[in-house]
Amino acid sequence: MLKRLVEPHAAAAEVAIGAAAYPAPFAPGLEFNAPVHGAWNIVHTGMLLPESIQIYVCAANCMRGVVLTAAEMNAADRFSHVILRERDLLDGTAEQTTIEGVSDVLQKRGRLPRAVLLFTVCLHHFLGCDLNHIYRELERRFPTVAFLRCYMDPILQKTGLTPEQKLRKALYDPLQPRPAQPNVTALLGSDFALDADGDIPQMLARNGAALRQLPDCRTFDDYLSMGEAGLLLAVCPAAKYGAEMLSQRLDRPLLYLPASFSYAELTEQRRALCAALHIPFVSPDVEIADCEAALDAAGREIGQTPVHIDYTAHPRPMGLARLLLAHGFRVERVFLERVSPEEAEDFRALQRTAPSLCLTSTVRPEARVRARGSTEKTLAIGQKAAWFADTPHFVNLVGGGGLHGFSGVKRMAALLLDAYRTEQDTRDIVPRKGLGCESCI
């Protein structure tokens, strides 16, 4: 007889921020996966490395998602897999199967890639495989190929480094130190290139400095040229660990300038960047005034339309909610699972100033049967918020989308107005994997 493991009731999946626990407002347990797939996964991110291929070594039942991701983004020619079978577990042959399987893939390709993102998985951990031996042997057999140590081990998702953090570290492991060029700056670990008219690119351009970032690289040699950067930057939280490791290895200064909606934080980031570039600091008073004007204009038109925000749109959903509420927007709900330590101050501030703001889980099993839609026109920021609100008015953004700095605040105001004025086909858009990637769907 089937027995319901969790009795669905909304209280377990949502809570007013005034009563929410930090940093985890919701109890862990069974999880629901909403049919929203615009956020990038490890396959999408790995494809940023030019002239590379990905090889996953895994049991067949776990391979479906990554295979489909590669196929859906028209990159199946850069994706291969090696299947581990039960006998590899019982006979202790998983290491040899991995080595011979990867060798077979490469030998059959004819022309070797410049780099291989080799993903080992949970089974390798369970079996205690000697991963160092695997990589040493593959490097001996294929000395012209850079093998990147990547992991698809979701069993470790909630402890230690995530697969995304590990991948963003591995992506820069092949970089070798070159003579540092003071007029070259490298941005590390971002899925999206910074907007060309953004604060950082414009500041660098005005001072004769070049910005190199992986999404702009077209060849492996373009990528290797990032090793001559005199200054390293990171703006994506998941990239911080890998950027710190590269900074130590190359002995280059690093600035971590996370995307933010706080004018004070953005001002200090500008001050730090100016100091690192040895250029005079220019007060952002004009930019702040422009941001205020843009937000006020958007607020007047959008009025008291309910606004829902989700964590997949931007790494700072709490900060965005705080900014919009301060400008009179009717922010009713933020979808998230945990509160980032970087948003602790915003969380505490919202507890004081907007205690009725609703925090809602997207993965609690209750979300599966939660009523969707509203009798009111709703404006969503992010694909998950759009799906749960069942609204055609949404900002179609994932991972920050390259927005950063004061220009990012202004751009967000413009995106809100555009979403408010224009309807989109939510049910067609949000199931598509990897927003911004080529799609064959």
Side-chain angles (χ1 to χ4, degrees), residues 28-363:
L30 292 174
E31 294 190 357
F32 165 67
N33 185 20
V36 180
H37 304 294
W40 286 32
N41 62 33
I42 54 178
V43 178
H44 299 112
T45 301
M47 291 295 181
L48 288 172
L49 187 61
E51 299 184 66
S52 71
I53 67 169
Q54 299 181 36
I55 303 178
Y56 285 70
V57 185
C58 191
N61 62 312
C62 294
M63 200 66 71
R64 179 177 181 274
V66 286
V67 169
L68 286 177
T69 296
E72 288 162 358
M73 64 184 297
N74 284 324
D77 61 323
R78 296 179 58 199
F79 184 97
S80 297
H81 60 265
V82 176
I83 299 297
L84 293 176
R85 304 190 184 280
E86 185 175 4
R87 65 171 178 268
D88 295 309
L89 281 64
L90 299 176
D91 298 344
T93 56
E95 293 162 345
Q96 197 62 24
T97 297
T98 300
I99 293 169
E100 297 305 330
V102 171
S103 298
D104 185 58
V105 167
L106 292 176
Q107 289 163 355
K108 286 179 177 178
R109 288 186 65 88
R111 183 167 178 261
L112 291 176
R114 297 287 296 275
V116 170
L117 285 75
L118 176 55
F119 286 82
T120 52
V121 298
C122 311
L123 281 176
H124 291 90
H125 295 296
F126 288 146
L127 297 173
C129 290
D130 186 346
L131 297 181
N132 289 329
H133 165 68
I134 291 172
Y135 281 96
R136 280 197 304 268
E137 178 59 21
L138 289 171
E139 288 164 351
R140 185 190 67 79
R141 294 185 183 189
F142 304 97
T144 64
V145 177
F147 287 91
L148 281 63
R149 301 190 179 205
C150 306
Y151 304 89
M152 185 174 66
D153 48 4
I155 58 164
L156 302 177
Q157 185 80 30
K158 299 184 187 302
T159 58
L161 298 171
T162 66
E164 290 78 11
Q165 289 175 298
K166 296 174 186 175
L167 176 58
R168 283 169 170 78
K169 186 261 184 189
L171 275 173
Y172 299 93
D173 282 347
L175 291 183
Q176 297 302 315
R178 295 183 175 184
Q181 303 297 321
N183 64 334
V184 175
T185 297
L187 178 71
L188 307 173
S190 294
D191 291 333
F192 300 95
L194 293 178
D195 286 347
D197 58 354
D199 294 10
I200 291 176
Q202 287 296 308
M203 184 181 296
L204 293 172
R206 285 195 299 269
N207 289 277
L211 177 63
R212 296 182 184 166
Q213 43 193 342
L214 187 54
D216 288 337
C217 293
R218 295 294 172 262
T219 68
F220 195 73
D221 288 329
D222 290 342
Y223 156 80
L224 291 177
S225 72
M226 295 175 71
E228 62 192 30
L231 175 65
L232 306 179
L233 301 178
V235 301
C236 170
K240 184 181 179 184
Y241 163 73
E244 290 172 343
M245 295 299 100
L246 183 65
S247 172
Q248 293 175 20
R249 187 165 62 81
L250 299 188
D251 191 24
R252 303 289 162 80
L254 166 69
L255 287 182
Y256 176 54
L257 309 175
S260 172
F261 293 100
S262 163
Y263 295 150
E265 185 176 2
L266 293 176
T267 299
E268 289 309 305
Q269 289 184 4
R270 171 174 292 190
R271 196 182 305 277
L273 182 57
C274 287
L277 295 174
H278 306 292
I279 60 177
F281 170 75
V282 178
S283 171
D285 290 345
V286 172
E287 289 99 322
I288 292 175
D290 289 343
C291 290
E292 291 289 281
L295 289 166
D296 288 342
R300 284 193 296 272
E301 182 170 341
I302 294 169
Q304 289 303 292
T305 302
V307 177
H308 295 183
I309 304 170
D310 84 63
Y311 71 98
T312 68
H314 195 280
R316 294 285 184 95
M318 295 277 94
L320 178 55
R322 184 181 178 185
L323 177 71
L324 295 182
L325 283 165
H327 286 80
F329 289 81
R330 183 182 161 191
V331 181
E332 291 188 341
R333 190 180 301 273
V334 177
F335 292 90
L336 48 65
E337 307 311 322
R338 293 181 63 86
V339 179
S340 163
E342 294 181 0
E343 294 213 281
E345 180 184 342
D346 293 316
F347 177 81
R348 301 300 184 198
L350 288 169
Q351 283 191 311
R352 296 189 302 270
T353 61
S356 62
L357 175 67
C358 186
L359 303 185
T360 304
S361 169
T362 66
V363 303

